[in-house]
Amino acid sequence: KNEVEQSPQNLTAQEGEFITINCSYSVGISALHWLQQHPGGGIVSLFMLSSGKKKHGRLIATINIQEKHSSLHITASHPRDSAVYICAVCRSQTSGSRLTFGEGTQLTVNP
Amino acid sequence: GAGVSQSPSNKVTEKGKDVELRCDPISGHTALYWYRQSLGQGLEFLIYFQGNSAPDKSGLPSDRFSAERTGGSVSTLTIQRTQQEDSAVYLCASSLWGESYEQYFGPGTRLTVT
């Protein structure tokens, strides 16, 4: 079993829909990252969080440390949101901030 | 300011040849990471550097892989005697040191071994 599990693997939505992507992890972490990877391959960091909730524009990320679960929400989705969304965790360790990644969620938003 | 840069952006090489991939981190970032993304698969950690400390090489898949970071800045990932299974996108990221800092990713080098 992967240490970081995402669901769903693939998600298709209509423009304007509210979208939720889930991430569960099985290890102790110091931080969780949500990343976005566009078809060209570039990766952009969306959020890094260790507790609570963060919001940036139409994106909201939440984390529940006790339940080892995080969600990424997109409000009023748009075709330009189409990308792969990757959850990654920074494990609680003393040897650095290496990331362990989920498999990613392919999001397609249709106009 | 300038982000993380990587070169080359694409590299096609014959099986058995050695390749070098370069990463220029963001100025002032003391932590540098190499990751790999094979076709249709997720990202995996390869190696990371922090300042003058010994690098964490625990993710390197074989002894054909090595990396160095000169002067605490530029890093080179070397793959010797390349194999077809080495074909992947190799991504570099940098950050300020510590667990509370986000990582900034470079555009990657797409390596194809024929």
Side-chain angles (χ1 to χ4, degrees), chain A residues 30-31 33 35 37 40-46 48 86 90-103, chain B residues 33 35 37 40-45 48 56 58-59 91 95-107 110:
Chain A
S30 57
H33 298 245
L35 310 170
Q37 185 171 32
I43 293 178
V44 174
S45 176
L46 297 175
M48 185 186 69
I86 302 168
C90 183
R91 300 178 66 174
S92 300
Q93 59 183 30
T94 59
S95 59
S97 306
R98 53 182 283 186
L99 296 178
T100 301
F101 300 87
E103 294 295 314
Chain B
Y33 307 81
Y35 299 102
Q37 187 172 35
Q41 299 189 19
L43 285 146
E44 59 176 330
F45 165 79
Y48 99 91
D56 176 353
S58 59
L91 290 150
S95 75
L96 295 170
W97 172 239
E99 298 172 340
S100 302
Y101 296 103
E102 63 181 298
Q103 295 184 21
Y104 294 83
F105 286 79
R110 182 175 297 277

Side-chain angles (χ1 to χ4, degrees), chain B residues 29 40 42 59-60 68 73:
Chain B
H29 281 188
L60 294 178
E68 62 177 19
S73 181

Side-chain angles (χ1 to χ4, degrees), chain B residues 2-103:
Chain B
V4 178
S5 61
Q6 293 186 243
S7 61
S9 55
N10 282 284
K11 176 73 177 178
V12 180
T13 190
E14 293 180 352
K15 177 181 171 182
K17 302 276 190 179
D18 297 352
V19 294
E20 284 189 352
L21 312 179
R22 177 187 168 106
C23 171
D24 282 271
I26 292 172
S27 177
H29 281 188
T30 57
L32 186 149
Y33 307 81
W34 283 99
Y35 299 102
R36 177 170 75 171
Q37 187 172 35
S38 301
L39 184 64
Q41 299 189 19
L43 285 146
E44 59 176 330
F45 165 79
L46 295 177
I47 185 171
Y48 99 91
F49 299 87
Q50 162 49 25
N52 295 322
S53 302
D56 176 353
K57 305 178 181 180
S58 59
L60 294 178
S62 80
D63 59 8
R64 296 185 295 103
F65 288 71
S66 63
E68 62 177 19
R69 189 178 184 192
T70 54
S73 181
V74 171
S75 177
T76 302
L77 177 69
T78 301
I79 309 173
Q80 295 179 310
R81 305 180 303 281
T82 52
Q83 303 294 313
Q84 289 188 328
E85 61 263 28
D86 299 335
S87 295
V89 176
Y90 290 82
L91 290 150
C92 174
S94 72
S95 75
L96 295 170
W97 172 239
E99 298 172 340
S100 302
Y101 296 103
E102 63 181 298
Q103 295 184 21

Side-chain angles (χ1 to χ4, degrees), chain A residues 23-96:
Chain A
C23 175
S24 296
Y25 53 92
S26 58
V27 295
I29 69 168
S30 57
L32 183 143
H33 298 245
W34 281 103
L35 310 170
Q36 181 190 55
Q37 185 171 32
H38 276 282
I43 293 178
V44 174
S45 176
L46 297 175
F47 294 103
M48 185 186 69
L49 64 166
S50 55
S51 65
K53 175 180 175 178
K54 287 189 175 180
K55 184 176 189 292
H56 184 253
R58 295 179 295 105
L59 303 178
I60 303 167
T62 64
I63 188 168
N64 185 317
I65 296 294
Q66 287 73 30
E67 295 186 3
K68 296 187 174 179
H69 181 270
S70 175
S71 294
L72 176 68
H73 306 285
I74 305 175
T75 62
S77 60
H78 190 276
R80 64 175 175 266
D81 297 326
S82 298
V84 175
Y85 292 84
I86 302 168
C87 172
V89 301
C90 183
R91 300 178 66 174
S92 300
Q93 59 183 30
T94 59
S95 59

